[in-house]
Amino acid sequence: MSFLFRRLTRSSSIADVNFSDNELSVAGVRSMVPFLQNANNLTNLYLDDNNMQSEGFNIMFRALRDSPIETLSCDSCGIDSIEIDSKHIPKNLTYLRLNDNSINTDGCRELAKLLQGGDAALTFLSLNNNEIADDGVEILADALQNNKSLTTLNLLGNDGISDQGQIKLLKLINDVSSIKATLQSNHTLKYVNVERITPSVLESGEEIKTHIDTATGINRNNGSDPNAAGREKVIQTQLKCKTRAVLCHVQGVDHSVLSEIDPLHLPEVLSLIAQRHGQGELYAALSSSIMALFSSVNRERYIQQEREYHAAKIAEHKAKLEELDKELATIKEASAVRSQDNVHSQSNKRRRT
């Protein structure tokens, strides 16, 4: 194997390497390092079903830091711990497979470094059949909050992921705690693959995975327009009573979304609800917003009255100001006349003496 890699090092044109199922050990990975460091055109590297273990993976990943590598696959390689230097991440790495290993929460913490920052490039991350639990999911979800690159996240076969872990993923892509939170959710992820958990924690019997699929479906349908995806999530989930009730129950939200909307805009919102969801939803929305509608009418009248009052006060103060200016001008004029008279009086006295 060492001889092979020494020969390969002399080649600068190799773009694809597949050493899957070759009993590659830590020593084999070490012998590969010079090749990886000099393979200026290497874009795809497949090392599945080897015995490189965590040490071998970490050595290999460090060697790729200046590589043009785009695809890296290390399924079934005995990896349990990962060390990633956030300052030396392959800039072009977009596709990473680490299925069928033993990656846990600590591994997720290291992998999160690939998902954070404005330079994050990873679009596909597959972690099926590892030892990831809810804590690991939370770390990945936090890292993905502002991520604009990852479109696929695979977490199938991780038995430690419970309803709570799936709720974290759901909140990542559709946070219903407020309209603003929904608009600021992750609209980039198009596929989030986790196991369907039964029985469900939802009273309706629905699975959380169903709502995850709905949110990622909206992301897919709106392509690369996150603003459109955000608006559609608001319409489909925030302005649909039954759906929102389920999501609020799951995410621990206990206030009405209509309470966030300026009452003066409620008629437009209610019209939108009727158009998109029908008369039944309109009736439900009206039932919960009727007091706000009345308050909007009262508020508008109150604001108008306040405006008229202050406009009248401004006119009154302006008239008073003009009156004071005139009086002040008169006083100044009289003072100037007195000063001039005093000057003449003093002059006459000097002449007589």
Side-chain angles (χ1 to χ4, degrees):
M1 190 69 73
S2 299
F3 174 76
L4 172 63
F5 287 127
R6 282 198 298 272
R7 296 295 298 270
L8 289 175
T9 302
R10 301 173 185 174
S11 174
S12 60
S13 61
I14 297 176
D16 300 284
V17 171
N18 189 339
F19 281 117
S20 297
D21 198 14
N22 267 285
E23 300 182 0
L24 192 67
S25 63
V26 175
V29 172
R30 290 186 187 279
S31 65
M32 188 193 302
V33 168
F35 162 68
L36 296 177
Q37 291 175 333
N38 293 280
N40 297 327
N41 291 299
L42 182 64
T43 54
N44 302 306
L45 180 59
Y46 302 93
L47 300 172
D48 304 327
D49 300 298
N50 283 294
N51 190 35
M52 68 170 69
Q53 301 179 352
S54 300
E55 183 181 358
F57 176 84
N58 294 333
I59 292 171
M60 179 265 300
F61 202 83
R62 284 195 295 271
L64 291 171
R65 64 187 184 184
D66 297 319
S67 166
I69 192 77
E70 297 175 6
T71 298
L72 177 61
S73 186
C74 296
D75 293 349
S76 302
C77 286
I79 302 168
D80 53 22
S81 62
I82 295 175
E83 295 176 4
I84 293 177
D85 184 349
S86 58
K87 296 181 180 179
H88 299 289
I89 295 173
K91 292 184 292 185
N92 299 312
L93 182 63
T94 58
Y95 186 102
L96 179 60
R97 288 172 55 104
L98 293 170
N99 299 322
D100 302 296
N101 286 292
S102 300
I103 296 169
N104 55 19
T105 300
D106 290 336
C108 289
R109 189 171 289 108
E110 293 296 306
L111 289 171
K113 297 175 183 178
L114 302 177
L115 306 171
Q116 295 170 322
D119 297 331
L122 206 64
T123 62
F124 181 99
L125 177 60
S126 192
L127 300 169
N128 293 333
N129 303 313
N130 277 279
E131 296 180 3
I132 297 171
D134 293 342
D135 289 345
V137 171
E138 183 173 11
I139 291 169
L140 294 176
D142 288 344
L144 288 167
Q145 191 63 53
N146 297 308
N147 180 278
K148 306 299 181 185
S149 65
L150 196 75
T151 59
T152 300
L153 176 62
N154 292 333
L155 293 169
L156 294 166
N158 287 281
D159 296 335
I161 300 177
S162 69
D163 287 315
Q164 295 307 310
Q166 293 199 5
I167 289 171
K168 296 181 191 303
L169 292 171
L170 174 58
K171 192 168 184 178
L172 166 69
I173 52 180
N174 191 12
D175 185 345
V176 297
S177 60
S178 69
I179 291 177
K180 182 179 180 180
T182 301
L183 293 173
Q184 293 179 342
S185 297
N186 183 299
H187 307 309
T188 304
L189 275 167
K190 295 176 171 58
Y191 299 94
V192 175
N193 296 309
V194 290
E195 298 291 347
R196 295 188 177 277
I197 299 176
T198 53
S200 172
V201 295
L202 304 183
E203 295 177 358
S204 61
E206 296 177 281
E207 297 166 342
I208 298 171
K209 177 68 164 64
T210 300
H211 295 284
I212 291 175
D213 291 343
T214 298
T216 53
I218 292 174
N219 290 351
R220 289 195 300 274
N221 292 338
N222 286 277
S224 58
D225 189 345
N227 292 327
R231 288 193 298 269
E232 188 62 23
K233 287 176 186 176
V234 170
I235 293 171
Q236 290 290 340
T237 58
Q238 292 279 27
L239 301 182
K240 197 170 185 179
C241 294
K242 183 178 178 182
T243 302
R244 186 175 190 277
V246 172
L247 294 176
C248 286
H249 170 69
V250 169
Q251 297 184 22
V253 179
D254 60 359
H255 65 269
S256 168
V257 68
L258 296 175
S259 65
E260 302 176 38
I261 300 172
D262 187 329
L264 295 176
H265 296 308
L266 270 177
E268 299 173 44
V269 174
L270 294 170
S271 176
L272 178 61
I273 292 172
Q275 292 173 19
R276 295 296 299 270
H277 304 310
Q279 298 301 312
E281 286 292 332
L282 175 60
Y283 175 78
L286 276 170
S287 298
S288 61
S289 64
I290 193 68
M291 292 308 297
L293 281 172
F294 280 128
S295 69
S296 71
V297 175
N298 294 337
R299 178 66 177 168
E300 185 177 11
R301 184 178 178 184
Y302 168 76
I303 291 173
Q304 185 62 35
Q305 290 174 341
E306 281 283 291
R307 187 182 183 284
E308 291 172 357
Y309 170 79
H310 288 292
K313 281 292 183 183
I314 290 173
E316 181 182 336
H317 291 157
K318 186 176 181 181
K320 184 65 176 178
L321 184 62
E322 291 175 354
E323 180 185 336
L324 293 173
D325 285 342
K326 289 179 181 178
E327 185 177 351
L328 184 61
T330 301
I331 292 173
K332 287 182 177 179
E333 186 178 351
S335 178
V337 170
R338 285 196 299 272
S339 296
Q340 190 173 7
D341 290 343
N342 288 336
V343 170
H344 288 310
S345 176
Q346 293 294 329
S347 177
N348 291 332
K349 288 180 179 180
R350 284 196 295 273
R351 288 196 192 100
R352 284 195 294 268
T353 58

